[in-house]
Amino acid sequence: RATIRRKVAAAALSTVTGSANITPQQQGVRLHLLDGGARSSLVSLAGAAALLELLASIIRGLRRPISAPPHLSLLADCLLPMHMPTGMVDDSTPLLALIHRPLCLCIVAFVEGRPEAVHHVLRGVLSHWPSAATANSSKEVLLLHELEMLMEHAAPDALADPELRDLLVGVIVESFEGS
């Protein structure tokens, strides 16, 4: 998909600039400029945030309960791994912050459509919790906010599983003890 996107962008840029002979780094910068990002950075998630907002609307429109295997694999294979980046945009902004709001909307839409998926989602979010060694407190705040949103939309007995409750408390307490 990235290759197709680069080819399309290169074709669009060649019609605008009259030259298709550009280096991959120049192409990355130009793609980033097309996304509305700053000229000096090669990281752009502006398109991803817009796509996630669209996806949240699509998820809300799915038939209830959400049970089709492709829909569940979208959650497990695409949305939950988007919590993985540990890098920082600047000194105080984690990469996750660039897409966090629309990502939360997608995940909450899944939980609303399939309430029993909250256990899987909580485990997925907790699996990407920053360790005490990485000490990314900004990312921890984002994930805490997401956990709060999930619990607001979950069934009252969502934490009835003692193993999940212990995992949740253990990960959060461990991160605060390490700081």
Side-chain angles (χ1 to χ4, degrees):
R1 292 179 185 161
T3 305
I4 293 171
R5 181 174 175 236
R6 290 189 188 280
K7 287 181 182 178
V8 168
L13 288 172
S14 67
T15 60
V16 173
T17 62
S19 171
N21 300 325
I22 58 176
T23 67
Q25 185 174 4
Q26 290 171 328
Q27 190 174 13
V29 169
R30 289 180 180 177
L31 283 174
H32 186 63
L33 288 172
L34 289 175
D35 282 342
R39 178 177 280 280
S40 63
S41 173
L42 294 178
V43 176
S44 173
L45 295 175
L51 182 63
L52 285 170
E53 288 179 8
L54 176 66
L55 185 60
S57 298
I58 293 170
I59 293 168
R60 278 190 217 98
L62 293 174
R63 190 176 343 163
R64 306 288 190 217
I66 299 172
S67 60
H71 300 150
L72 298 177
S73 71
L74 172 69
L75 175 66
D77 300 334
C78 297
L79 294 177
L80 289 176
M82 292 185 87
H83 293 87
M84 194 177 306
T86 57
M88 301 291 279
V89 175
D90 56 28
D91 291 339
S92 62
T93 309
L95 282 173
L96 181 62
L98 300 177
I99 58 167
H100 187 255
R101 189 187 65 77
L103 180 60
C104 284
L105 292 175
C106 287
I107 291 179
V108 165
F110 258 106
V111 169
E112 288 173 343
R114 186 179 175 111
E116 62 272 10
V118 74
H119 298 289
H120 180 69
V121 171
L122 287 172
R123 289 181 197 280
V125 171
L126 290 174
S127 70
H128 299 296
W129 195 273
S131 67
T134 59
N136 190 343
S137 61
S138 300
K139 183 176 180 180
E140 290 173 8
V141 169
L142 291 173
L143 293 177
L144 281 171
H145 172 68
E146 186 168 354
L147 291 174
E148 177 186 10
M149 288 179 62
L150 286 169
M151 296 313 297
E152 286 175 359
H153 293 90
D157 64 343
L159 290 178
D161 178 14
E163 183 181 324
L164 179 63
R165 188 175 50 245
D166 293 344
L167 176 67
L168 182 65
V169 171
V171 167
I172 294 172
V173 168
E174 179 183 305
S175 70
F176 285 109
E177 286 176 350
S179 57

